[in-house]
Amino acid sequence: MSAPAVGLHEFSVVSNEPAAEGLMRVVLSAPALARELSAGQFVNVAVPGDASQVLRVPLSFSRADGEAGTVEIVYAVVGDGTRRLAAMAAGETSTAVGPCGNPWPLPAGARRACVVAGGVGITPVVACARMLAGAGVAFDAVVGAQTAGRLWGADVLEGLGAGRVVVTTDDGSAGRAGFTTAALADLLAEGGYDVVYTCGPEVMMAGVARLCREAGVACRVSMERMMGCGFGACNTCNVAMADGTYRSCCKDGPVFDAEEVAW
């Protein structure tokens, strides 16, 4: 069966509330879009409020509920577009382009996985965990944030059935002090993983990719670029590949095999 075509979807805001320091959680009512999205894909949202801003905001989602017709997005408020999105109230409407990009793959025969999130990379990682739970694949999780106040998602992963959830913070205010890569190294040393999924700062994902390569474990990464159009037309979101070529983050990604990326 072919994947749903990228389309334009109207949505209304159900709720839009703080999730953590600097993070917001918006729930959109968009029934057709919610039914078509697969974990790892993204949506390109038109945020009203400034007619001079013609580009949409590309956002990963943490949950697409086809039955309820809703899409949950946890996003960082970092620029004009996301600041305007944070100001949208329940009942306000706009449009989103989607489903965009390729989803997280589930390797045949996978029995145990680990998901690794850094910062707002937790959003597509939570969607990945939902996919794993739905497929009956056991998983552990590593969740990193700068500080306890910016932490979101660890309890969600526990609720989805994660075997272990290791929290790391840069300042040690929650979980263990340090980086997600150190926690992942400890888990990989125990063995037993078929695949690792990760999203977060690129330097973190490069470290995760290196650790997985050394451990002989498959690794899938969700890359971040400024994706102006969301479907491969504007050629602004190129990702350098290990073979010397470039691929489009929005059309060929955002999920890539870590071994394909030029870190």
Side-chain angles (χ1 to χ4, degrees):
M1 181 182 296
S2 59
V6 177
L8 183 67
H9 300 264
E10 295 184 352
F11 70 79
S12 62
V13 175
V14 176
S15 62
N16 194 15
E17 301 171 342
E21 182 183 336
L23 298 180
M24 295 287 289
R25 174 183 175 272
V26 65
V27 177
L28 310 177
S29 177
L33 181 60
R35 289 191 297 269
E36 294 175 0
L37 284 168
S38 296
Q41 293 182 303
F42 68 96
V43 295
N44 228 11
V45 178
V47 184
D50 186 347
S52 69
Q53 298 296 315
V54 297
L55 292 180
R56 293 172 178 266
V57 179
L59 297 167
S60 298
F61 67 93
S62 47
R63 184 176 189 179
D65 189 330
E67 292 186 6
T70 57
V71 180
E72 174 193 80
I73 298 169
V74 175
Y75 61 99
V77 182
V78 294
D80 180 65
T82 48
R83 281 192 292 269
R84 284 184 286 113
L85 177 60
M88 291 187 73
E92 292 192 55
T93 62
S94 189
T95 61
V97 173
C100 299
N102 295 302
W104 296 110
L106 187 61
R111 294 172 298 175
R112 188 162 175 249
C114 186
V115 297
V116 183
V120 76
I122 185 65
T123 300
V125 164
V126 164
C128 181
R130 293 186 191 280
M131 175 191 75
L132 295 171
V137 178
F139 68 95
D140 296 325
V142 180
V143 181
Q146 291 177 325
T147 186
R150 299 184 66 86
L151 182 67
W152 179 84
D155 56 342
V156 178
L157 294 168
E158 290 175 353
L160 289 170
R164 285 178 291 182
V165 178
V166 182
V167 170
T168 71
T169 49
D170 294 354
D171 62 1
S173 56
R176 58 185 279 181
F179 300 135
T180 54
T181 45
L184 176 63
D186 291 343
L187 293 178
L188 286 172
E190 297 177 11
Y193 294 119
D194 299 301
V195 59
V196 170
Y197 300 92
T198 186
C199 184
E202 194 155 319
V203 65
M204 182 206 82
M205 291 194 291
V208 170
R210 176 183 56 79
L211 290 171
C212 289
R213 184 185 312 114
E214 293 171 354
V217 177
C219 181
R220 302 293 181 264
V221 298
S222 180
M223 304 296 290
E224 290 189 3
R225 292 290 187 275
M226 186 56 207
M227 297 178 278
C229 69
F231 48 85
C234 68
N235 200 36
T236 61
C237 64
N238 291 329
V239 177
M241 297 284 104
D243 63 2
T245 63
Y246 289 86
R247 298 178 71 182
S248 167
C249 190
C250 72
K251 188 175 180 180
D252 301 314
V255 176
F256 292 94
D257 184 327
E259 290 300 298
E260 297 178 343
V261 177
W263 299 105

